[in-house]
Amino acid sequence: MSTESSGKVKVGIVGAKFAAKLHAESYKRTQKAQLVSVADIDEEALELFQSDFDVETTYSDYSDMLKNEDLDVISVCVPNFLHSEVAITAAQSGSHVVCEKPLATTVEDAERMVKVASENDVKLMYAEDWVFAPALIRATEILNEGGIGDLLYLRAKESHSGSHSIYAKKLEYCGGGSLIHLGIHPLGFALSLLGDNIESVTGVTTGGQADNLLHGDFEGEDWGLGVLKYSDGKVAQIEANYVTQGGMDDVVEMFGTDGVIKVDLTQGSPLRVFSQKGLDYTVEKAKVKSGWSFPAIDEYSSLGYQGEIEHFVNCVLGKTDLQKGVRGEDGLKVIETIKEIYNAAETGDQSI
Ligand SMILES: NC(=O)c1ccc[n+]([C@@H]2O[C@H](COP(=O)([O-])OP(=O)(O)OC[C@H]3O[C@@H](n4cnc5c(N)ncnc54)[C@H](O)[C@@H]3O)[C@@H](O)[C@H]2O)c1
């Protein structure tokens, strides 16, 4: 493996915009990885990425990057519909794969990804950052030590005012609307916490375009709710919407027989600022940055990106095994469940 010469994991990233920067900064922070190369079809995105991260090589065609470079791991940071193609090509070239959420836009593609990774003896690592968010790790510890008794009900949501990515507007590119794009995080966390012993799945969503609450230009839903009933009686409610102004709003609540845990992942900063002029940045997706705000301290850490990439690098170095919630098969289960929620919303039937 190429790590032998430098001692560092050699990384290539496909896609050079928003998610790519989350990965690049997180790899840098591990100090155990070397960002070697990046590929994007957008020349301007490549130039901006290069100026921020100083990679050795850039490519407009990711398959050239895979052919020419000796890379231990590839981060897949392209739009959803390309995840399976890029991940499969990378796995076939012998690199381990970190794949952004959702693992794929269809269950069939996700199954193929898991199969090809296994056939090529490489790791398929599913980048669900919530599993590594420090507040959720602490909440899970409190739950596991019995701090709120037995868990009865989990309510979790991600919401903001609409994806920045042009690809998120088309069903063909995204695989759905707010549920597959945002709800995937609370759902991924719920499955990693509660397991997948689900008895029934129900769902309700807006209908896309003119049937949306706000976003007529989005083919997928801009509001969606999934309810999972577990065989032991527990209930998990997953919500995702694009109708929340004021910055990303990620909340998890756990209701137990003897207590409650509330986690505010994005709006609960200990920092409070009043600025007449306005700040450069407060919290992801916030458009108004003047007046009173609660700026995030460090979203790489608080949203789990840093911990997630650290874990993946340690897995590639053989120091640990992939943890539950971020294995390829966990990403597959999340897609299966999202599709069951969509199916239930469409047909009005409970699935399973
Ligand atoms: N975990 C998270 O919190 C999180 C946050 C944001 C995005 N994401 C995920 O990351 C992925 C990328 O999202 P983004 O927000 O960075 O989108 P984006 O639109 O900002 O960037 C996608 C990039 O991929 C490039 N691209 C498109 N086709 C390509 C190809 N064939 N080869 C190489 N590059 C290509 C585009 O030119 C663009 O620069 C999505 O799947 C999204 O769901 C995850």
Side-chain angles (χ1 to χ4, degrees):
M1 188 163 75
S2 51
T3 46
E4 281 164 17
S5 52
S6 70
K8 291 191 171 184
V9 169
K10 296 198 173 182
V11 180
I13 301 186
V14 186
K17 274 200 191 140
F18 188 82
K21 289 180 185 170
L22 299 174
H23 285 228
E25 175 62 24
S26 301
Y27 280 116
K28 208 166 91 181
R29 291 184 182 195
T30 68
Q31 299 186 3
K32 292 178 247 175
Q34 182 188 355
L35 188 51
V36 175
S37 194
V38 64
D40 198 302
I41 51 171
D42 179 341
E43 281 301 321
E44 200 186 326
L46 278 181
E47 274 170 34
L48 283 170
F49 188 92
Q50 171 73 309
S51 70
D52 284 346
F53 293 102
D54 194 23
V55 282
E56 290 167 19
T57 53
T58 62
Y59 290 87
S60 54
D61 184 334
Y62 77 86
S63 49
D64 289 338
M65 178 176 93
L66 296 177
K67 272 183 220 138
N68 296 343
E69 306 288 345
D70 182 19
L71 300 165
D72 299 310
V73 62
I74 304 296
S75 266
V76 180
C77 297
V78 284
N80 302 357
F81 74 106
L82 290 169
H83 289 185
S84 60
E85 173 199 306
V86 177
I88 285 173
T89 315
Q92 286 169 336
S93 80
S95 292
H96 300 294
V97 177
V98 170
C99 186
E100 258 308 333
K101 59 78 187 171
L103 193 61
T105 52
T106 66
V107 171
E108 294 72 26
D109 280 352
E111 282 171 345
R112 216 171 301 127
M113 292 162 77
V114 171
K115 184 165 171 276
V116 171
S118 162
E119 284 167 358
N120 286 274
D121 202 20
V122 297
K123 296 176 200 302
L124 176 59
M125 298 174 270
Y126 173 56
E128 179 41 73
D129 50 283
W130 278 34
V131 172
F132 296 92
L136 292 177
I137 292 174
R138 183 71 187 113
T140 304
E141 281 169 5
I142 291 168
L143 179 70
N144 290 341
E145 77 186 31
I148 63 165
D150 295 331
L151 182 69
L152 303 170
Y153 171 38
L154 172 87
R155 184 163 70 186
K157 73 161 181 178
E158 177 162 288
S159 57
H160 58 58
S161 57
S163 174
H164 64 275
S165 176
I166 47 163
Y167 298 101
K169 294 185 179 176
K170 295 249 170 228
L171 284 175
E172 180 195 350
Y173 295 145
C174 198
S178 57
L179 271 172
I180 198 167
H181 215 58
L182 308 186
I184 198 111
H185 288 301
L187 180 60
F189 174 70
L191 295 185
S192 76
L193 185 76
L194 304 177
D196 53 14
N197 208 358
I198 300 165
E199 200 175 80
S200 69
V201 176
T202 51
V204 195
T205 67
T206 53
Q209 295 187 309
D211 287 328
N212 272 341
L213 292 176
L214 183 64
H215 295 281
D217 57 338
F218 275 61
E219 289 178 0
E221 79 285 353
D222 66 356
W223 178 92
L225 192 69
V227 179
L228 319 179
K229 192 147 184 268
Y230 278 76
S231 47
D232 62 1
K234 285 190 189 69
V235 175
Q237 176 187 303
I238 307 299
E239 186 195 331
N241 76 65
Y242 284 144
V243 300
T244 302
Q245 307 297 334
M248 196 155 80
D249 191 11
D250 291 3
V251 173
V252 175
E253 294 169 330
M254 301 177 192
F255 301 87
T257 48
D258 295 307
V260 178
I261 302 173
K262 295 191 176 217
V263 181
D264 181 347
L265 267 187
T266 47
Q267 306 266 338
S269 171
L271 205 57
R272 289 202 297 157
V273 176
F274 180 81
S275 168
Q276 300 207 115
K277 174 179 161 280
L279 308 181
D280 290 342
Y281 186 84
T282 55
V283 74
E284 188 181 331
K285 300 285 184 304
K287 291 177 193 151
V288 177
K289 294 157 199 152
S290 58
W292 280 106
S293 63
F294 304 83
I297 308 288
D298 177 9
E299 287 168 336
Y300 293 102
S301 165
S302 60
L303 294 179
Y305 303 115
Q306 191 179 328
E308 155 199 286
I309 294 290
E310 177 93 30
H311 177 64
F312 293 154
V313 166
N314 284 334
C315 288
V316 170
L317 288 170
K319 292 185 175 172
T320 185
D321 292 330
L322 269 174
Q323 108 175 30
K324 193 170 159 230
V326 293
R327 301 163 301 188
E329 52 268 39
D330 298 317
L332 166 61
K333 183 67 199 172
V334 177
I335 285 297
E336 284 171 349
T337 312
I338 286 274
K339 297 292 177 177
E340 282 160 11
I341 294 172
Y342 280 142
N343 183 52
E346 231 174 88
T347 60
D349 292 339
Q350 286 193 352
S351 63
I352 298 191

